Amino acid sequence: MDLITDPLLQALRAAAPPLPLAVAYSGGADSSALLRAAARLWPGQVQALHIHHGLQAAADDFEQHCQQVCAGLSLPLISLRVQAVHEQGQSPEDAARRARYAALADAVMQMPAAQRPRSIALAQHADDQAETLVLALSRGAGLPGLAAMPAAWQEAGLHWCRPFLALAGGDLRAWLQAQNFSWIEDPTNQDTRYTRNRIRHTVLPALAAAFPSFRATFARSAAHCAQAQSLLQEVAVSDLQQLGLPPRIAALQNLSAARQGNVLRHWLATHCATQAS
């Protein structure tokens, strides 16, 4: 495949992250495809960030693999040590994700300005998006949860993006295999004690058998939910400006029940650092 027809390069082009770009690189198949595709599309504009969680014995091997790949590609690599300890009521996966994203942002912002990436790319794909939506449905989530993962957002002074949300995980592996590129397999991905792994190994194959296009349709539903949530956010901001801080009860009672709930959730999240049940 050339630069024009290659689906991974097309997805990266469409995402159009501001350059230079940092890629969150674990050494697994998904981030390997993202790193190699980005380096091919934007030579000299890409570097890798590797998170060493220290949660399993193979972590040192993952890091060594990433070092070897980046040396072969002549790409800068920064390896970050993160100890993700989950709090009571928080899942280990969520704790690791939050620690990982915070470490990525901190690493970039500590770089000299002349070397600092403007964007961070993450390798989640259509299967990951479907897992996120199924997980949200299982928890009875509202629109913020059903919107699943955004394709792009701004945070900590950086542009974050997920260019591969429309591509299946199998497509990324096929791309790597076609070019004889290696990656490492994380053994914890087979551990069905984790909810996401149970969804990946049990639910998604059943969905694929019943609804072959489920990845695209799930992604479309998540996009509809994200758009609706964005509209609710605009309404909440406008309503809160009229209600004052904290919201005046008498003015709040003039709103419909749906708008009362909407603006109160927004107020709690943005001014009280908490989420309504």
Side-chain angles (χ1 to χ4, degrees):
M1 289 178 286
D2 57 30
L3 293 179
I4 297 176
T5 61
D6 188 304
L8 275 65
L9 302 188
Q10 288 178 340
L12 282 167
R13 254 196 233 97
L19 301 176
L21 174 72
V23 172
Y25 177 47
S26 69
D30 308 333
S31 63
S32 294
L34 176 59
L35 182 68
R36 289 182 178 277
R40 182 179 299 177
L41 187 60
W42 298 306
Q45 295 288 311
V46 176
Q47 61 181 286
L49 301 175
H50 175 74
I51 300 292
H52 187 302
H53 282 295
L55 295 176
Q56 53 181 300
D60 289 340
D61 294 336
F62 298 164
E63 183 180 47
Q64 185 177 25
H65 171 85
C66 292
Q67 290 169 344
Q68 292 172 347
V69 169
C70 288
L73 294 172
S74 298
L75 292 179
L77 169 70
I78 295 177
S79 188
L80 311 166
R81 291 296 199 272
V82 171
Q83 291 292 338
V85 179
H86 64 282
E87 300 176 358
Q88 185 175 2
Q90 184 183 30
S91 73
E93 301 101 312
D94 184 54
R97 179 183 61 80
R98 290 178 181 274
R100 183 164 60 248
Y101 287 10
L104 292 172
D106 288 346
V108 169
M109 299 313 293
Q110 290 175 16
M111 294 180 192
Q115 304 171 13
R116 187 178 301 157
R118 297 171 63 196
S119 306
I120 297 179
L122 307 169
Q124 286 97 348
H125 46 70
D127 297 66
D128 298 316
Q129 187 75 313
E131 290 169 15
T132 302
L133 184 56
V134 170
L135 192 58
L137 285 167
S138 74
R139 294 171 174 170
L143 284 177
L146 298 178
M149 295 183 290
W153 73 101
Q154 307 293 322
E155 187 176 339
L158 293 164
H159 177 87
W160 299 71
C161 63
R162 296 184 174 100
F164 292 164
L165 283 185
L167 298 175
D171 295 337
L172 305 186
R173 289 172 179 263
W175 187 87
L176 290 168
Q177 290 169 340
Q179 299 168 85
N180 294 316
F181 292 145
S182 64
W183 67 87
I184 52 176
E185 293 287 356
D186 185 343
T188 63
N189 288 338
Q190 304 301 317
D191 189 344
T192 54
R193 290 177 298 176
Y194 297 110
T195 304
R196 274 191 176 271
N197 287 347
R198 290 198 299 275
I199 294 172
R200 182 177 309 143
H201 296 297
T202 304
V203 178
L204 296 194
L207 284 170
F211 309 106
S213 300
F214 82 93
R215 292 177 180 85
T217 56
F218 276 30
R220 193 157 61 243
S221 291
H224 291 323
C225 290
Q227 186 178 53
Q229 177 58 31
S230 178
L231 178 59
L232 288 178
Q233 185 81 358
E234 291 180 15
V235 173
V237 169
S238 176
D239 283 346
L240 192 57
Q241 289 174 345
Q242 301 300 317
L243 297 176
L245 291 172
R248 299 189 308 276
I249 298 299
L252 186 66
Q253 289 173 331
N254 290 326
L255 299 179
S256 68
R259 285 177 68 171
Q260 287 177 14
N262 186 52
V263 72
L264 287 175
R265 283 189 294 270
H266 170 73
W267 170 61
L268 289 169
T270 56
H271 294 277
C272 304
T274 189
Q275 297 290 332
S277 66

